[in-house]
Amino acid sequence: MDESKGLALALEEAQIGYREGGIPIGAALVAADGRVLGRGRNMRVQNDNPILHGETSCLQNAGRLPSSAYQGSTMFTTLSPCDMCTGACILYGISRVVIGENKTFLGGEAYLKQRGVEVVVLDSSECRELMEKFIVEKPDVWNEDIGVEERVYSREGIKASSK
């Protein structure tokens, strides 16, 4: 599947999540043959569930699949994946992770690459603007989502730039 089409599916999920009052991070898992295996969005707020991030929600919605289903697959996500979602992509053998943006948060991209996963960052202004809008509106919910009290750019402690 074309990268812009895959990211559009993830962005649609993020926008739905935002309208629901949740954290606007969406994901779509696409098989090597272009079939959409699953779509999901961060549902921590909506479901009061600490582990339903965009990618894990997407995997849950894809359902139980044989390991062969993940071979050559691509996870499209609107935001650089956190450590948990990075681990899930590695665990299931997802071959590529296409990221909408990593300016508001830098997740486990280096680890994905180290483990042989192809990482593509599209630097989508739509994804970034939606995330920045949410962070301004609900900084406490955002900080809770990434497990910090003060906004950071990465788990390595790099502080986010003030705007």
Side-chain angles (χ1 to χ4, degrees), residues 80-91 97 106-119 156:
S80 185
C82 73
D83 291 340
M84 177 176 66
C85 296
T86 292
C89 289
I90 291 168
L91 176 67
V97 176
L106 177 62
E109 295 173 33
Y111 188 52
L112 286 166
K113 291 175 187 176
Q114 179 186 352
R115 295 295 300 267
V117 177
E118 180 186 352
V119 175
E156 287 76 29

Side-chain angles (χ1 to χ4, degrees), residues 4 7 19-20 35 53 59 72 87 97 124 129 133 155:
S4 63
L7 184 62
R19 288 192 299 272
E20 293 172 341
R35 287 178 300 119
H53 285 198
L59 288 165
V97 176
S124 163
E129 289 165 8
K133 179 179 176 182
R155 295 303 275 167

Side-chain angles (χ1 to χ4, degrees), residues 60-101:
Q60 180 177 337
N61 291 336
R64 184 176 167 199
L65 299 171
S67 60
S68 61
Y70 300 103
Q71 292 175 359
S73 67
T74 300
M75 177 68 77
F76 292 90
T77 180
T78 57
L79 184 66
S80 185
C82 73
D83 291 340
M84 177 176 66
C85 296
T86 292
C89 289
I90 291 168
L91 176 67
Y92 289 103
I94 293 168
S95 302
R96 295 176 71 229
V97 176
V98 176
I99 299 165
E101 68 100 356

